[in-house]
């Protein structure tokens, strides 16, 4: 799967369409969790590698909090969530390592949501909390939510370093 680039940046509408298509075809319509996880994880790896490449080309400088990067973080947060959701439907009940990894994806997803107080994003945060509760049985889940896009970018970068 290739991700379209424009002017050395990801084509975000194309990326959004790819993710939405995977989610619609393999989660919403007729659940095929293994295919959804395979495709979403591949897409997440490409996005993480793209971000690392961007940072490297920028001599380690984080991108400015522009509209482009706000949209990028919005897509990345949802991609992290759906990758975790697909993976959670494939693991055995007693697979503690997989549970820990999925919860980490969910927590990073929540910390990458720009403008978390917007109603649409509040719904995502609520879904992330419910998903974590289902995995670990906790009644209360506390998530670190970014105050601004700069924090989202920094938290996503900390995550993407694991793909280097």
């Amino acid at each position: 799967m290739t991700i379209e680039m424009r002017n050395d940046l990801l084509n975000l509408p194309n990326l959004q369409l790819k993710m939405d298509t995977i989610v619609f075809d393999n989660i919403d319509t007729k659940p095929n969790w293994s295919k959804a996880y395979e495709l979403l994880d591949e897409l997440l790896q490409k996005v993480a590698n793209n971000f690392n490449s961007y940072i490297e080309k920028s001599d380690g400088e984080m991108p400015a909090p522009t509209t482009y990067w706000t949209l990028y973080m919005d897509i990345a947060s949802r991609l992290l969530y759906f990758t975790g959701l697909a993976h959670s439907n494939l693991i055995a009940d007693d697979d503690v390592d997989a549970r820990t990894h999925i919860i980490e994806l969910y927590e990073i997803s929540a910390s990458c949501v720009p403008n978390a107080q917007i109603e649409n994003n509040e719904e995502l945060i609520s879904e992330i909390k419910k998903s974590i509760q289902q995995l670990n049985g906790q009644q209360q889940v506390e998530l670190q939510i970014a105050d601004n896009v700069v924090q989202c970018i920094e938290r996503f970068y900390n995550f993407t370093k694991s793909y280097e």
Side-chain angles (χ1 to χ4, degrees):
M1 169 184 331
T2 59
I3 299 178
E4 191 177 307
M5 303 286 289
R6 286 202 179 139
N7 301 327
D8 289 333
L9 296 173
L10 283 179
N11 178 339
L12 296 181
N14 181 264
L15 175 61
Q16 179 75 53
L17 180 63
K18 284 183 188 294
M19 181 180 67
D20 289 348
T21 301
I22 294 167
V23 169
F24 182 77
D25 290 348
N26 300 292
I27 295 177
D28 290 341
T29 307
K30 183 178 177 192
N32 183 343
W33 296 110
S34 60
K35 187 171 182 178
Y37 176 67
E38 176 186 330
L39 295 172
L40 289 167
D41 188 54
E42 179 184 346
L43 194 57
L44 179 58
Q45 288 179 30
K46 288 180 187 262
V47 169
N49 290 333
N50 167 269
F51 190 79
N52 287 333
S53 177
Y54 178 87
I55 298 297
E56 186 178 312
K57 288 178 186 175
S58 301
D59 295 324
E61 292 290 319
M62 292 292 130
T66 62
T67 301
Y68 174 84
W69 289 105
T70 301
L71 293 172
Y72 191 106
M73 287 298 105
D74 186 63
I75 294 168
S77 67
R78 292 170 198 291
L79 182 56
L80 284 157
Y81 171 72
F82 285 120
T83 302
L85 180 65
H87 192 196
S88 72
N89 282 279
L90 296 172
I91 64 170
D93 289 339
D94 60 348
D95 191 340
V96 177
D97 290 339
R99 267 183 209 288
T100 302
H101 174 71
I102 294 164
I103 289 171
E104 179 184 351
L105 286 177
Y106 287 152
E107 290 172 342
I108 294 165
S109 172
S111 70
C112 290
V113 175
N115 306 315
Q117 31 320 344
I118 294 174
E119 184 177 339
N120 192 30
N121 290 336
E122 284 180 351
E123 290 175 20
L124 175 61
I125 299 296
S126 177
E127 286 302 313
I128 292 169
K129 285 181 179 182
K130 287 178 194 172
S131 297
I132 292 172
Q133 288 169 340
Q134 288 176 345
L135 277 178
N136 66 12
Q138 284 184 322
Q139 296 301 319
Q140 278 301 96
V141 174
E142 293 298 321
L143 296 171
Q144 281 191 333
I145 306 299
D147 294 327
N148 54 51
V149 177
V150 172
Q151 286 181 353
C152 294
I153 292 169
E154 289 170 354
R155 290 177 180 158
F156 187 67
Y157 179 59
N158 288 333
F159 165 74
T160 63
K161 287 192 247 180
S162 67
Y163 284 92
E164 292 182 317

